[in-house]
Amino acid sequence: MEQIVKAAKLDTTLLNWKVKEGDKVRKGDWLCTVLLGNMKREVSSKFNGTIQKINFHENDAVPGGSTICVIDAEEEKPVGAVTVNPGDIVPIILAKIGGSSATVKKWYKAVGDDIRPGEPIVSLSAGKLNTEVTSPFGGILKEICTPEGSTVKPGDTAGNITADGTGSAASEENKEPAVKIAVIGGGPGGYVAAIRAAQLGAEVTLIEEQRVGGTCLNRGCIPTKALLHSAEVYLTAKNGANAGVNVSGISLDWDKVMKNRQAVSDQLVGGVEGLLAANGAELIRGRAEFAGEKTLKIRKTDGGEIEQSFDRIIIATGSSPAVPPIPGLKDNPNCIDSTGALALPKLPASMVIIGGGVIGIELACAYAAFGTKVTIVEMMDRIMPVMDYELTLISQKIMEEKGIEFFLETQVLEFRENAAGVDVVTKLKSGEEKIFTAEKALVAVGRRSNIGTLNAEKAGIETDGRHIIVNDKMETNVKGVYAIGDCVGKIMLAHTASTMGEIAAENAMGGNEKYDERVCPSCVYMLPEFAYVGINEEQAKAEGISYKVGKFPLKANGKSLIMEETDGWMKIIAEKGSNQILGVHILGARATDVIAEAAMAMSMKATVDDMIHTIHAHPTVAEAMKETAMAVEGRAIHFK
């Protein structure tokens, strides 16, 4: 019986063959390796048989959906296609187990026990998801092949049963159909949800109008950090003399900065597309809206429209830059948003940034490092309002020393075109009018959720007018419909969306996971970095919490001194009495890496003593965390 082995839906490159024509193969044998995006993927046989024909050679480009090879397959009679007779020895085959592997948690039956058709016999644990395996037929448990604690994968035999003739394994035609899940939006929340749901056995359709990866990979996190990396390398090269590295003729190639930024994004987008294909998730290019409670109308990018119903739907439509109604903004080509700031054809000599939030501060630091004269105009009386106030003041001073100017409590009245670029007309705190002239004006006043085109009311989905309302399981008010990421209006961060995506996918497949915002870290990729998790002092005071604080300067940290990155502090807020860590705030180099330790500590409800007793490697920036914990107790070793 001739069977074909097809390539993934995306174009691939065939790297190497593990078999040749005429070889006999078994189901699950490794046939070849392909390059899918930036990911190597092993292609395995789904049949027992003989390799009849190989259609592609090593290093050949393989168009998506092509036949890689043909197998002369042996005829199989799956259990269930025929009646199971009394006395037959039949295996319990593990099908979908919640992932690529699972751990055998508990056997409910012992060898010799009677088993009824449909009775649970063993439970498996895959990550946070527990699965019970039932027997499709009756009999006596003859053998346990996978003892408790062992690792199993799909297709493994859990055990063997001596059948009594009752029940039978379901034939392929009578198998329970896979849960059909649609994910609307392919950003860091959507694509993670799609992959996780596919791992759990769902039939997944991901609908994305533009490039997968969303704002994060294409217009946000990744390109911004690539830009900041170029800025850091440029600064390091210019300031290497103290470390004994004398470099002359340092210059900035803006075209290469832009090409590097794009190359990083392209590589990651290709990787995500490969992962989606490797996990069997279908990608539809287009825009989806609700036509009913579980029905979507999809306008495909290449033309045409389809309507399709699903068992579960996960909304992950993300957000877009907010556009304030300021006169002259929309009509001036020199007024840009964060997306435009990442793709400027040349480095501007000057830039006025409207907004002192995370996006504005990150781009301010990048452009100032490149040599752009940067001015930040902020309507509030402080920048980065979500961050610790004490450390925020220190960060502002550091930025001012690098040439960035700040005008707080300043209102933007109008944008006007001029020969140089743009005039930003403002009103200062004093009431005086002041005009800032620059080549570019970057408007970074926040983001708005993308829910306007969903037609959510057609499905009865509850919103507050700006965001979709969900509970801590990411469920909307409509059973089986979930929402994640920026469209739900909580912390608008990529890692928040990804976490929500995993939770929604697992709950859509029968799990019971919950999102805990208390231990979600927030990061500002400025120079130096700024990160926190938990509450700050202002919140502790407002909530009437009895607390104590420990602080440690990075100028007393050996690794920071070596790196010539001594600006900044670490700060821990702990509850008096219990000593439980309530918040950790870090301003300094590597802050966004080190904050993960604090997030884990808080998720485990760790105390200051736990942090102190954790041995930290030396020399590292992370060991300053231990010193900060010791400072809470008034006993830091390397700072008085």
Side-chain angles (χ1 to χ4, degrees):
M1 181 173 57
E2 189 176 275
Q3 297 284 3
I4 61 175
V5 178
K6 284 195 171 186
K9 295 176 183 177
L10 297 173
D11 293 348
T12 61
T13 300
L14 201 148
L15 296 180
N16 55 65
W17 281 99
K18 298 296 180 181
V19 296
K20 61 183 182 300
E21 290 181 1
D23 282 356
K24 288 190 174 294
V25 294
R26 306 295 297 171
K27 186 185 293 186
D29 282 356
W30 185 0
L31 300 179
C32 63
T33 304
V34 297
L35 186 66
L36 196 58
N38 297 292
M39 181 185 65
K40 291 181 181 179
R41 180 190 174 196
E42 297 173 1
V43 178
S44 301
S45 176
K46 296 180 180 178
F47 318 100
N48 299 329
T50 304
I51 302 295
Q52 190 177 62
K53 185 179 179 183
I54 288 176
N55 293 333
F56 293 91
H57 300 292
E58 295 184 354
N59 298 317
D60 278 356
V62 181
S66 300
T67 298
I68 298 178
C69 71
V70 178
I71 297 176
D72 184 10
E74 299 170 3
E75 186 177 353
E76 289 188 77
K77 291 186 178 179
V79 175
V82 295
T83 302
V84 176
N85 298 309
D88 286 351
I89 306 301
V90 287
I92 299 293
I93 305 296
L94 300 176
K96 297 293 184 181
I97 61 174
S100 58
S101 65
T103 301
V104 178
K105 189 175 180 182
K106 183 179 181 180
W107 273 92
Y108 303 137
K109 297 289 184 177
V111 171
D113 283 356
D114 289 330
I115 295 172
R116 297 187 305 275
E119 185 176 16
I121 57 171
V122 63
S123 67
L124 309 177
S125 174
K128 299 176 182 177
L129 197 72
N130 294 324
T131 304
E132 286 190 335
V133 178
T134 59
S135 174
F137 37 72
I140 296 173
L141 184 59
K142 181 179 187 296
E143 179 185 15
I144 290 175
C145 302
T146 55
E148 292 178 2
S150 63
T151 300
V152 295
K153 60 183 185 300
D156 284 352
T157 298
N160 291 304
I161 290 177
T162 303
D164 61 9
T166 59
S168 66
S171 65
E172 290 297 317
E173 293 78 14
N174 295 322
K175 269 189 180 179
E176 185 178 341
V179 176
K180 292 183 178 181
I181 294 181
V183 181
I184 309 174
Y191 81 71
V192 168
I195 289 172
R196 185 62 186 134
Q199 288 175 343
L200 294 170
E203 183 181 312
V204 179
T205 301
L206 175 65
I207 304 123
E208 170 56 53
E209 187 175 16
Q210 301 177 28
R211 299 212 318 168
V212 295
T215 295
C216 174
L217 266 60
N218 297 287
R219 303 174 299 280
C221 314
I222 296 301
T224 304
K225 279 58 182 179
L227 200 67
L228 278 160
H229 173 68
S230 293
E232 289 180 281
V233 172
Y234 183 51
L235 288 177
T236 301
K238 289 202 303 182
N239 300 312
N242 288 342
V245 180
N246 297 314
V247 182
S248 59
I250 297 171
S251 63
L252 190 68
D253 188 328
W254 187 250
D255 286 342
K256 284 188 178 179
V257 169
M258 291 290 103
K259 285 178 181 177
N260 176 67
R261 171 193 58 75
Q262 189 62 50
V264 172
S265 288
D266 289 346
Q267 181 174 343
L268 290 172
V269 168
V272 170
E273 288 179 342
L275 287 167
L276 288 166
N279 284 280
E282 180 185 8
L283 176 60
I284 295 179
R285 303 283 183 182
R287 174 177 290 191
E289 66 177 62
F290 283 90
E293 191 172 275
K294 299 282 180 58
T295 303
L296 296 178
K297 183 187 293 182
I298 304 169
R299 293 183 174 88
K300 300 177 77 171
T301 303
D302 59 2
E305 185 175 290
I306 59 175
E307 195 166 292
Q308 194 170 344
S309 295
F310 299 89
D311 300 312
R312 317 274 193 277
I313 295 175
I314 300 173
I315 305 168
T317 48
S319 64
S320 303
V323 182
I326 302 174
L329 173 58
K330 292 184 178 180
D331 303 325
N332 194 324
N334 292 308
C335 294
I336 57 176
D337 59 15
S338 57
T339 302
L342 293 169
L344 292 175
K346 70 181 186 70
L347 181 67
S350 56
M351 181 182 290
V352 174
I353 297 178
I354 316 303
V358 172
I359 297 170
I361 293 298
E362 288 185 351
L363 290 169
C365 288
Y367 277 100
F370 288 133
T372 300
K373 170 60 182 168
V374 175
T375 302
I376 294 179
V377 175
E378 170 56 54
M379 197 169 185
M380 296 179 65
D381 61 356
R382 59 172 292 184
I383 59 172
M384 297 183 290
V386 299
M387 310 302 283
D388 179 84
Y389 185 59
E390 180 183 18
L391 296 188
T392 297
L393 292 177
I394 296 172
S395 73
Q396 182 176 329
K397 184 178 179 182
I398 292 170
M399 287 186 283
E400 287 173 338
E401 290 171 351
K402 294 179 179 178
I404 299 174
E405 282 192 294
F406 290 86
F407 287 84
L408 306 181
E409 297 181 90
T410 299
Q411 181 184 0
V412 177
L413 303 176
E414 184 184 3
F415 294 97
R416 298 173 186 164
E417 280 195 63
N418 64 31
V422 58
D423 283 334
V424 184
V425 183
T426 69
K427 184 169 73 173
L428 303 179
K429 179 182 178 181
S430 63
E432 173 190 354
E433 185 177 285
K434 182 174 178 62
I435 298 175
F436 299 93
T437 299
E439 283 189 26
K440 299 292 179 185
L442 165 59
V443 180
V445 294
R447 299 182 66 83
R448 56 175 178 79
S449 295
N450 295 330
I451 65 170
T453 62
L454 275 173
N455 202 13
E457 63 277 4
K458 192 84 173 181
I461 297 169
E462 188 178 356
T463 75
D464 62 6
R466 296 179 304 152
H467 314 113
I468 296 170
I469 298 171
V470 294
N471 60 19
D472 57 2
K473 294 182 180 181
M474 313 319 301
E475 297 168 323
T476 68
N477 62 304
V478 177
K479 185 174 177 59
V481 178
Y482 302 78
I484 62 174
D486 288 4
C487 70
V488 303
K490 297 184 184 293
I491 298 178
M492 289 187 172
L493 297 171
H495 53 269
T496 306
S498 295
T499 300
M500 291 178 176
E502 291 183 67
I503 291 168
E506 296 198 10
N507 290 341
M509 293 298 288
N512 188 32
E513 299 302 315
K514 294 182 179 180
Y515 169 66
D516 184 2
E517 197 161 280
R518 179 185 66 90
V519 294
C520 179
S522 292
C523 303
V524 187
Y525 293 82
M526 51 189 290
L527 302 174
E529 295 176 343
F530 201 170
Y532 84 94
V533 62
I535 65 172
N536 56 37
E537 278 200 79
E538 296 76 53
Q539 290 171 302
K541 289 174 183 175
E543 294 175 22
I545 297 171
S546 180
Y547 70 94
K548 50 187 178 179
V549 175
K551 293 185 288 186
F552 186 80
L554 292 183
K555 66 182 179 182
N557 173 258
K559 186 62 178 288
S560 298
L561 188 62
I562 292 167
M563 296 189 303
E564 299 182 69
E565 295 275 8
T566 55
D567 287 333
W569 291 73
M570 287 193 187
K571 181 175 181 178
I572 291 177
I573 298 165
E575 185 180 41
K576 282 184 179 178
S578 72
N579 249 11
Q580 185 175 330
I581 298 170
L582 303 177
V584 178
H585 306 263
I586 308 172
L587 173 66
R590 309 286 173 84
T592 60
D593 296 318
V594 177
I595 199 64
E597 176 185 352
M600 178 177 283
M602 288 187 59
S603 70
M604 299 175 70
K605 295 181 169 52
T607 65
V608 168
D609 307 294
D610 294 324
M611 191 77 79
I612 291 172
H613 294 145
T614 300
I615 300 174
H616 290 70
H618 172 80
T620 60
V621 177
E623 66 183 318
M625 184 74 76
K626 176 174 179 174
E627 289 275 8
T628 310
M630 295 174 76
V632 174
E633 299 296 308
R635 60 185 185 99
I637 299 296
H638 295 94
F639 178 69
K640 184 67 177 173

